[in-house]
């Protein structure tokens, strides 16, 4: 299994979010998602069967859940 590098240079073209699979096994998938101000559509939810863990390397994000709970995440200095 060859793993990707989460710290490699950022892509130059960020007109859309960039998804890069770093590691994938039968029990876990780790992706690097590079986003620059991208947001989910106003209508509909991104629903998935997998559990998710998020690490913010730079910037901030807001996660909104179906029960109207919003979590704002900011990288600490």
């Amino acid at each position: 299994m060859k793993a990707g590098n989460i710290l490699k240079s950022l892509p130059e073209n960020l007109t859309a979010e960039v998804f890069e699979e770093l590691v994938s096994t039968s029990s876990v998938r780790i992706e690097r998602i590079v986003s620059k101000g991208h947001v989910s559509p106003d209508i509909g939810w991104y629903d998935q069967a997998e559990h998710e863990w998020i690490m913010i390397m730079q910037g901030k994000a807001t996660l909104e859940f179906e029960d109207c709970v919003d979590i704002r995440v900011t990288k600490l200095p």
Side-chain angles (χ1 to χ4, degrees):
M1 165 182 52
K2 183 178 177 185
N5 181 352
I6 198 167
L7 299 175
K8 76 178 186 180
S9 297
L10 296 176
E12 290 187 26
N13 181 1
L14 288 175
T15 54
E17 284 183 304
V18 176
F19 295 81
E20 299 170 344
E21 191 170 275
L22 300 177
V23 175
S24 183
T25 71
S26 61
S27 58
V28 68
R29 183 181 75 236
I30 300 174
E31 295 177 316
R32 176 174 103 145
I33 302 172
V34 182
S35 180
K36 186 173 182 178
H38 298 94
V39 297
S40 298
D42 289 335
I43 299 173
W45 288 95
Y46 177 70
D47 196 7
Q48 64 190 36
E50 302 95 6
H51 295 287
E52 189 167 30
W53 180 86
I54 299 169
M55 178 174 62
I56 304 293
M57 300 288 288
Q58 181 177 341
K60 59 186 175 183
T62 300
L63 307 174
E64 184 179 353
F65 294 90
E66 191 172 18
D67 59 3
C68 299
V69 173
D70 287 1
I71 298 176
R72 289 167 179 48
V73 182
T74 303
K75 178 196 174 288
L76 297 174

